[in-house]
Amino acid sequence: VRNLDQFGAPRPQKVDIYCNRGASGIDGTLASAAGVAAADPDRWLALLSGDLAFLHDLNSLLLIKAYTPRMLIVVVNNDGGGIFQRLPVSNFEPYFTPLFLTPHGLNFAGAATMFGLEYCKVSDRAGLQEQLRDKFVNPRPALLEVQGDAVVHEMMRREFQRRLELMQ
Ligand SMILES: Cc1ncc(C[n+]2csc(CCOP(=O)(O)OP(=O)(O)O)c2C)c(N)n1
């Protein structure tokens, strides 16, 4: 979400974007998205979430199958709070990993099974594009887990930022 916000280029297609600020950011993300989807069940809605935000509101998965026939959940699972890799505190182990990054080592296949959602895991761009196309053409309640790596993501972000600055 941060990267889309920072680097997403304008496109001619009209896309409605909803954000949930919550009390402090990551609470209630799934429930809010389910509310948006349920308000207009004929429209396709995709939620993009980090793994911690997703875990924080896991019980709201109960809403998805019941109320949102065309909603796709995309979770970028980088095993913890990747946002904190941006902060100076990331240089301070042994505190950083358990207190800020908070890795959990989970995948979400079991959650999808529990709440009756179709599930798929992808780890590259081609796989993600294929799945997004498939779910867009034939919308159904589904959970798409994207395997990520917080350290690699942060290195890529910095490199991308560096190249953009060179272009200016
Ligand atoms: C209710 C609440 N608790 C804690 C936080 C602090 N916080 C901000 S971002 C974040 C981690 C988000 O991790 P994730 O959803 O996995 O996304 P990523 O940073 O990896 O993209 C946390 C815990 C918050 N914003 N809201």
Side-chain angles (χ1 to χ4, degrees):
V1 172
R2 286 185 303 277
N3 290 336
L4 271 177
D5 194 26
Q6 192 170 358
F7 302 119
R11 287 162 193 252
Q13 300 96 325
K14 183 177 178 298
V15 179
D16 291 327
I17 297 178
Y18 301 85
C19 293
N20 188 23
R21 184 65 183 92
S24 185
I26 68 164
D27 48 320
T29 313
L30 262 170
S32 295
V36 172
D40 196 351
D42 293 335
R43 287 179 77 198
W44 188 73
L45 183 120
L47 165 68
L48 179 60
S49 173
D51 49 288
L52 290 193
F54 181 73
L55 274 173
H56 199 285
D57 199 20
L58 203 64
N59 55 353
S60 290
L61 283 179
L62 196 55
L63 302 169
I64 308 300
K65 200 173 176 189
Y67 299 110
T68 68
R70 302 164 87 85
M71 180 170 160
L72 170 68
I73 301 165
V74 181
V75 180
V76 180
N77 187 357
N78 56 14
D79 200 14
I83 186 174
F84 301 119
Q85 296 282 357
R86 292 184 178 201
L87 306 181
V89 72
S90 63
N91 296 313
F92 292 89
E93 292 291 9
Y95 307 106
F96 175 67
T97 295
L99 298 180
F100 288 82
L101 196 61
T102 60
H104 45 75
L106 301 172
N107 73 64
F108 302 116
T113 306
M114 180 176 178
F115 291 98
L117 299 174
E118 185 181 314
Y119 171 84
C120 183
K121 187 171 186 174
V122 296
S123 54
D124 61 17
R125 187 189 177 100
L128 176 60
Q129 283 175 330
E130 187 187 322
Q131 282 300 319
L132 288 176
R133 218 171 287 127
D134 173 60
K135 304 291 183 302
F136 185 75
V137 170
N138 177 17
R140 56 218 190 255
L143 174 60
L144 178 56
E145 181 169 347
V146 182
Q147 186 61 55
D149 180 311
V151 174
V152 174
H153 287 177
E154 179 55 16
M155 277 166 34
M156 287 169 71
R157 188 189 69 82
R158 285 184 197 178
E159 177 58 16
F160 201 48
Q161 177 80 40
R162 193 184 65 81
R163 289 192 201 179
L164 277 179
E165 281 165 13
L166 286 176
M167 286 163 66
Q168 284 166 2

